[in-house]
Amino acid sequence: MKDQVETEERREDTKPDRGEQKDAQPKEPKAEKTRGYFREHPRAKWYILVGLLIAAVAGFLVWRHYSVRESTDDAQIDGYIYPVSPRVGGHVVAVTVDDNQYVEAGTVLVQIDPRDYQVALSRAQADLADAEASAKAAQVRIPISSTTTQSQLSTAQAGTEEANAGVTVAEKQVAVARARLNAAQARVSEANANYTKATQDLERYRQLVAKDEIPRQQYDTAVAAAAASRAAVDSAKAAEAEAEQGIAVAQSQVTQAQSRVAQATSNVQSAQTGPQQVAISRAQLGSAEAAVQLQQAVVEQARLNLEYTTIKAAVSGVVGKRNVQIGQNVQPGQALMALVPLNNLWVTANFKETQLKKMHPGQKVEVSVDALGGRKLNAHVDSLGGATGATFSLLPPENATGNYVKVVQRLPVKIVFEPGQDTRHELRPGMSVDATVFIQ
C-alpha cells in the first residue's frame, strides 16, 4: 500500500504542467511556414519581386534625379538700385512722380528753381563776350605792332645814316673853317707886314718932308698907305676872328650831328626791340585766348548747372523711397528717391561649398519664384562669387582664435534669366526663390 502511494507521488512529480506541455511541443520552422504560405498563395512571390524591382527603380531614379541637381532655397532676386540725387542745390519747385510709379528713362522727376542759375549763365556769357573782345583786340595789335616796329626800325636806321652824314658834313665844315682861319691868319700876317713897312716909310717920309727933301704929296701918299695898311690889318684880324668863329660854329654843328647820331642809334636800338614787342603782343594774345577758354568753361559749367536743375530718370524703373517734397531745399548729393530697373534682374543663390564641386558658369538653372506661386523660370549660371558671404559680412569670422568650429560656408552664385521671359512687372529685387542647378 505504501509502495503504491510513493509510486503515484513520483508519477505526479514527473508530470509536466500545461505550460511546460505546450512548450514542449515541437516548433514548425519559419522557412517551412514561408514555403507553406507560398504554396497556399503561389502569386505572392511575384508580387514581392515586382515590388522590390519597383522600389529599386524608384530609388535609382531618385538618386539619379538628385545626383545631377544642386538646389537651395537660400536665394533671392537681385538687381541694381539707382539713387537719385541732385548735382546742384536749390529750392524744389516741382516733383512729378510718386512712390511705386514706373517711369521711362529721361522722365523729369524733380525740378529745382532755375532762376539763380539762369542769372549765373547770363553773367558768364557776358564775361565770355568781354574776353573774346579782348582777344580780338590783342590779335589786331600783333600785325600793327609788327608793322610799326619795322617802320620805326627803318626810320631809325635812316636817321642814323642821315646823322652820320651830318657829322661828316660838319667835320668838313670845320676843316673849311680851319682853312679859312689859316688864310685869315696869313692875311693878318701880310697886313701886319705891310702896315709895318708903311709905318716905317711914313716915318722916313716925315723926316724927309720936314727937310723939304720930298714933296708933301709923296708924304701924304705914305700917310694914306700907312692908314690903308692899318685898315688892312684890322680887316685881316676881323677875318681871322670870323674864321675862328666859323670853326666854333662848325664844331658845334659837329657836336649836334654827333648827338643826332647818338639819338638815331638809340632809336635803332629801341626799334630793334620790335620782335620782343611783337612777342609780348603774341603772349598777350595767348593770355587773352586762355581767358576766353576759361570763360567758355565757366559758361559751359553754368549751362550744365542750369540743366542740372531738371533732374531726370537715368534709367527706366520703379520709383522707391521718395523723400523729397515741393518747397524743400536740397543739397548736392542728397538722396531724393531711388529707381529700381526691372529689365536687368538676376538671382543670387547662396550654395553650400559642398555643392560647388561640379558647378560652373553656363549650366542650366531652374528658378522657382515663391511670389508667382512656384512658377518656374529658365536661367543659367553666370558666375561664382569671389568670396563667401561670411567674408563680406560686417564681422567676418576669425578662425585663428582657438575656439574654431568648422561650419559649412555658402558662396553667392549669380544666376541670369534666359531672354524671352517677360517678367519685369512681376519680379522685384529681394523676392525669395528656389534655385536648382543642373550640374550635368
Side-chain angles (χ1 to χ4, degrees), residues 381-435:
V381 176
D382 179 78
S383 59
L384 277 67
T388 63
T391 304
F392 287 117
S393 64
L394 181 62
L395 298 174
E398 294 291 341
N399 295 334
T401 57
N403 56 352
Y404 169 69
V405 177
K406 183 176 181 180
V407 178
V408 177
Q409 300 296 317
R410 289 182 179 267
L411 189 77
V413 177
K414 183 176 181 181
I415 298 173
V416 177
F417 292 105
E418 298 293 349
Q421 303 176 102
D422 188 12
T423 57
R424 64 176 185 172
H425 295 295
E426 299 175 349
L427 299 181
R428 296 291 187 275
M431 286 183 174
S432 298
V433 299
D434 292 339

Side-chain angles (χ1 to χ4, degrees), residues 229-249:
S229 298
R230 179 63 185 176
V233 169
D234 293 337
S235 176
K237 288 183 177 180
E240 182 183 11
E242 182 181 0
E244 290 178 349
Q245 187 66 29
I247 291 174
V249 172

Side-chain angles (χ1 to χ4, degrees), residues 242-316:
E242 182 181 0
E244 290 178 349
Q245 187 66 29
I247 291 174
V249 172
Q251 287 178 341
S252 67
Q253 290 178 349
V254 169
T255 302
Q256 291 177 358
Q258 289 176 344
S259 65
R260 286 195 295 271
V261 169
Q263 183 178 3
T265 303
S266 176
N267 292 336
V268 169
Q269 293 177 350
S270 176
Q272 287 176 343
T273 62
Q276 289 80 359
Q277 295 177 359
V278 173
I280 292 174
S281 298
R282 292 186 184 280
Q284 291 175 346
L285 174 61
S287 177
E289 290 177 345
V292 169
Q293 293 178 354
L294 176 62
Q295 292 302 321
Q296 287 175 343
V298 173
V299 169
E300 186 63 24
Q301 184 62 61
R303 183 177 292 109
L304 289 175
N305 290 340
L306 181 60
E307 292 178 358
Y308 293 155
T309 58
T310 302
I311 302 175
K312 299 180 180 179
V315 296
S316 301

Side-chain angles (χ1 to χ4, degrees), residues 197-257:
K197 180 179 179 297
T199 302
Q200 292 175 354
D201 290 342
L202 179 61
E203 185 62 29
R204 287 193 298 268
Y205 286 149
R206 184 181 294 115
Q207 293 176 359
L208 293 175
V209 80
K211 296 178 179 181
D212 293 329
E213 292 180 356
I214 60 172
R216 185 75 181 177
Q217 182 179 6
Q218 189 176 0
Y219 173 74
D220 293 338
T221 302
V223 171
S229 298
R230 179 63 185 176
V233 169
D234 293 337
S235 176
K237 288 183 177 180
E240 182 183 11
E242 182 181 0
E244 290 178 349
Q245 187 66 29
I247 291 174
V249 172
Q251 287 178 341
S252 67
Q253 290 178 349
V254 169
T255 302
Q256 291 177 358

